Amino acid sequence: MTIVRAAVLAATTLALSASLATTTQASPASPATPAPKRVVLDVSDLAQGAPPAIAWSERRSGRTVIHGTGGTTTPVANALDQFAPMGSGYVVQTIGRRATTRWIAADGTPGAGEWRTGYGLAVSPQGQVVAFAGRAGRVWTIDQEGDRVLRFNRLPVTGTAHAAAVTGENCKEGEGDPGFGCSIAVNGPRRAFYTSSHGIVDTVPHLRQVDTGRGRWLGGLTSVSDFGSCSAMLRSWRVTWRTCDNQLSDISTDNRHVLGTPAYADGFGPTALAVLATSDGSVVRSFSSARDGSSATYFDEVWEDADHVLVVTYQDGEWAVVRLGVDGSMEYAVAPRRGSMDTFSPFRLQTR
């Protein structure tokens, strides 16, 4: 009896298998649902993720500290506006009647020099050089050892200049590895220039203002009007593509993507952020406001790594640091904190 039942079961199983195989071959598997290209920038209820993988600052109880990637904390002035890791410490820029830039050690001890500068720091792709600029076309860099400040040939700027981008990782000609020099793109009141460690000073072609740069890529404004702006992306000084939909912001660490902010800036802060392909300007992902206005505005957009962007957000009376993925994901990198839109953000992200 057992042998007969086993034979019947085997025959039935073979018949069902053949039937299922025929059905499966006739009906191909349905593809996975792709992530939406447009994601609403609603950060009111996100999961808590890992802390930022880049340096960030926090102001709490009247005291401001920079959180380093190794868990260190460095006390800095409450007027901190921009900062970048450099050597064993940071290049910090504070705001007030005028911007002031200096180097500080990891314990907060200030270096010997202090400079009155224009707003903005520019950082080389690997973070080995930080540049800043000031009145009458003056430009300086601090190198990776944090011990030497180099001066560059002045730019033909009558007002205050603002550093925008650095190409090269060593500005000391012929020293170290690499020892090929550097150039710094700088914005004057009316147009952009560059000055190099070779002593060359010239205008940046095609761009009125440089907004971002990394390696051979350089992006910025070509025109501005009451109705918006237009921008272009250059590769090796040649225009690769143009857009009047976005202004260009930070370029990703692998050069594949560039952030696009609104072409027209108005109000408390932007509510839309686009991830564009650096090669052609096509939209890879966009984070935009809800139609009823119940979403976040953001500041300090910086690439954390090749696949994630960190932004400081404000929504419903709360500040937070949010991690945005190129895949459309969102999570908290620093948990929300109650605060007013009438005061400075309690968070800042390092300049890259």
Side-chain angles (χ1 to χ4, degrees):
M1 179 68 73
T2 302
I3 295 174
V4 171
R5 289 176 61 187
V8 171
L9 286 171
T12 304
T13 301
L14 286 171
L16 286 172
S17 299
S19 175
L20 288 172
T22 303
T23 304
T24 302
Q25 291 171 5
S27 303
S30 57
T33 303
K37 202 167 189 177
R38 176 184 176 273
V39 180
V40 175
L41 192 61
D42 182 356
V43 302
S44 58
D45 186 22
L46 303 178
Q48 180 63 55
I54 60 175
W56 59 286
S57 71
E58 177 183 28
R59 182 174 183 179
R60 187 187 293 272
S61 301
R63 180 173 178 264
T64 301
V65 299
I66 295 175
H67 295 269
T69 55
T72 59
T73 57
T74 298
V76 291
N78 285 337
L80 178 70
D81 183 58
Q82 294 194 35
F83 66 97
M86 177 49 58
S88 60
Y90 299 90
V91 179
V92 299
Q93 191 172 87
T94 54
I95 56 175
R97 293 182 61 184
R98 285 187 60 185
T100 300
T101 302
R102 72 185 314 155
W103 182 84
I104 63 170
D107 62 359
T109 304
E114 179 178 286
W115 299 267
R116 291 297 185 101
T117 61
Y119 294 104
L121 299 175
V123 184
S124 63
Q126 296 177 28
Q128 301 299 300
V129 176
V130 175
F132 48 96
R135 293 184 62 82
R138 292 182 176 90
V139 180
W140 302 267
T141 62
I142 296 179
D143 66 17
Q144 64 269 27
E145 298 169 359
D147 66 346
R148 206 165 7 165
V149 176
L150 302 179
R151 297 179 183 179
F152 290 73
N153 286 347
R154 291 191 185 189
L155 306 171
V157 172
T158 55
T160 301
H162 308 268
V166 177
T167 301
E169 300 295 334
N170 192 333
C171 296
K172 308 186 197 94
E173 286 288 329
E175 293 186 28
D177 182 20
F180 305 112
C182 70
S183 69
I184 300 98
V186 178
N187 293 321
R190 295 179 181 84
R191 70 158 307 130
F193 299 86
Y194 72 89
T195 181
S196 78
S197 55
H198 299 304
I200 300 171
V201 173
D202 205 346
T203 57
V204 174
H206 310 295
L207 303 179
R208 288 183 54 183
Q209 177 179 318
V210 173
D211 290 326
T212 188
R214 186 176 176 85
R216 296 182 179 182
W217 295 98
L218 200 66
L221 293 171
T222 57
S223 65
V224 181
S225 71
D226 293 338
F227 305 101
S229 63
C230 292
S231 299
M233 179 62 76
L234 278 57
R235 187 176 189 272
S236 300
W237 301 115
R238 297 181 179 179
V239 174
T240 302
W241 49 270
R242 301 176 185 269
T243 179
C244 293
D245 296 327
N246 299 104
Q247 291 188 28
L248 304 178
S249 187
D250 204 26
I251 297 174
S252 64
T253 56
D254 62 357
N255 287 355
R256 293 181 59 194
H257 301 109
V258 59
L259 299 179
T261 62
Y264 183 80
D266 190 21
F268 175 61
T271 55
L273 179 67
V275 179
L276 310 174
T278 311
S279 59
D280 60 10
S282 58
V283 178
V284 176
R285 190 80 56 193
S286 66
F287 299 86
S288 54
S289 61
R291 289 182 172 85
D292 61 2
S294 60
S295 51
T297 187
Y298 67 90
F299 307 88
D300 278 13
E301 65 283 357
V302 179
W303 285 93
E304 181 182 34
D305 56 36
D307 299 310
H308 299 92
V309 179
L310 292 177
V311 291
V312 175
T313 62
Y314 184 84
Q315 181 175 340
D316 297 332
E318 291 185 330
W319 294 93
V321 179
V322 173
R323 179 177 290 110
L324 307 176
V326 175
D327 61 0
S329 60
M330 296 192 297
E331 66 179 10
Y332 294 129
V334 178
R337 183 197 302 175
R338 297 297 299 178
S340 170
M341 62 185 295
D342 297 324
T343 60
F344 288 114
S345 164
F347 306 120
R348 297 275 181 181
L349 303 173
Q350 75 169 71
T351 301
R352 295 193 72 161

